[in-house]
């Protein structure tokens, strides 16, 4: 799939129209990639997140996505999505696919041509790395997203080695 690329690196450096944040439902920052994105973007990102309407403190239910500006990041937008907590969700694959699909749809609605993802749910939320790669690849490969330039910023060699054969089976 030549519109989908895997890179090892820090997503906060991505020069794309939108970067995706693996957030939580409250959407006011956290650890992992969420913390890195907020630190790199500066306080403007948190101020934008606060403006997103909340219901009972929840700004983004699991599987959904929300868009904000990107503060000091090179990207124009941050798309915040929430993946499933692997051990708690009844249908983790469905929820993970929704998190990817809703992020990609929001990118299209906002005229983005390029989008960068981290490996959603693959840190604190405990999704098995090989199973997560299958869901990420299948969802990003849908016909409706062919016009988008999609990159994954994977944090470290280990996850890259697990994801690479799923995304580029011909190169194995
Ligand atoms: N660039 C790219 N990937 C990164 C970076 C980075 N700078 N930093 C970490 N990763 P996680 P989750 C990788 O835990 O599992 C937060 O507290 C990391 O190695 O960030 O969806 C939120 O607020 C892993 O492969 O996200 C939520 O509460 C991947 O990003 C919760 O964690 C995702 O790991 C979300 O958990």
């Amino acid at each position: 799939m030549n519109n989908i690329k895997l890179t090892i690196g820090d997503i906060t450096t991505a020069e794309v129209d939108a970067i995706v944040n693996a957030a939580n439902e409250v959407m006011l920052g956290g650890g992992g990639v969420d913390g890195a994105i907020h630190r790199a973007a500066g306080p403007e990102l948190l101020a934008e997140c606060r403006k997103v309407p909340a219901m009972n403190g929840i700004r983004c239910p699991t599987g959904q996505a929300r868009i904000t500006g990107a503060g000091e990041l090179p990207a124009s937008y941050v798309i915040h999505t929430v993946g499933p907590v692997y051990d708690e969700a009844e249908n983790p694959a469905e929820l993970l696919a929704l998190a990817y699909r809703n992020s990609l749809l929001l990118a299209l609605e906002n005229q983005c041509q390029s989008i960068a993802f981290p490996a959603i749910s693959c840190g604190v939320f405990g999704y098995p790395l090989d199973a997560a790669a299958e869901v990420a690849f299948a969802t990003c490969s849908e016909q409706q997203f062919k016009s988008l330039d999609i990159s994954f910023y994977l944090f470290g060699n280990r996850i890259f080695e697990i994801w690479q054969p799923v995304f580029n089976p011909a190169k194995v």
Side-chain angles (χ1 to χ4, degrees):
M1 291 297 147
N2 50 16
N3 69 318
I4 307 176
K5 281 196 307 263
L6 298 187
T7 311
I8 297 176
D10 177 359
I11 198 169
T12 64
T13 65
E15 296 194 5
V16 289
D17 295 327
I19 69 166
V20 177
N21 182 15
N24 56 60
E25 292 186 329
V26 178
M27 235 188 85
L28 294 179
V33 72
D34 193 1
I37 288 172
H38 274 273
R39 276 193 301 279
E44 208 179 300
L45 180 60
L46 185 59
E48 292 233 11
C49 288
R50 284 194 197 283
K51 287 189 214 152
V52 172
M55 203 183 278
N56 299 323
I58 290 177
R59 289 180 180 72
C60 185
T62 301
Q64 295 191 20
R66 302 286 185 263
I67 193 165
T68 66
E72 293 172 32
L73 293 169
S76 304
Y77 300 106
V78 176
I79 293 174
H80 309 260
T81 192
V82 183
V85 177
Y86 186 74
D87 282 341
E88 289 174 12
E90 274 175 33
N91 49 352
E94 226 168 274
L95 289 169
L96 187 60
L98 274 177
Y100 280 109
R101 190 174 301 114
N102 284 323
S103 299
L104 292 160
L105 288 171
L106 208 44
L108 287 176
E109 276 168 33
N110 286 274
Q111 284 77 48
C112 295
Q113 291 177 345
S114 54
I115 181 169
F117 282 100
I120 298 166
S121 283
C122 288
V124 175
F125 283 0
Y127 212 106
L129 301 184
D130 49 353
E134 301 283 351
V135 174
F137 181 67
T139 311
C140 292
S141 303
E142 290 174 8
Q143 191 58 37
Q144 58 182 337
F145 304 128
K146 290 289 178 220
S147 66
L148 280 169
D149 197 342
I150 301 171
S151 38
F152 281 86
Y153 280 69
L154 300 175
F155 219 46
N157 290 322
R158 182 170 163 260
I159 183 165
F160 183 82
E161 278 161 19
I162 294 168
W163 279 44
Q164 207 273 340
V166 176
F167 281 69
N168 294 300
K171 287 191 190 160
V172 179

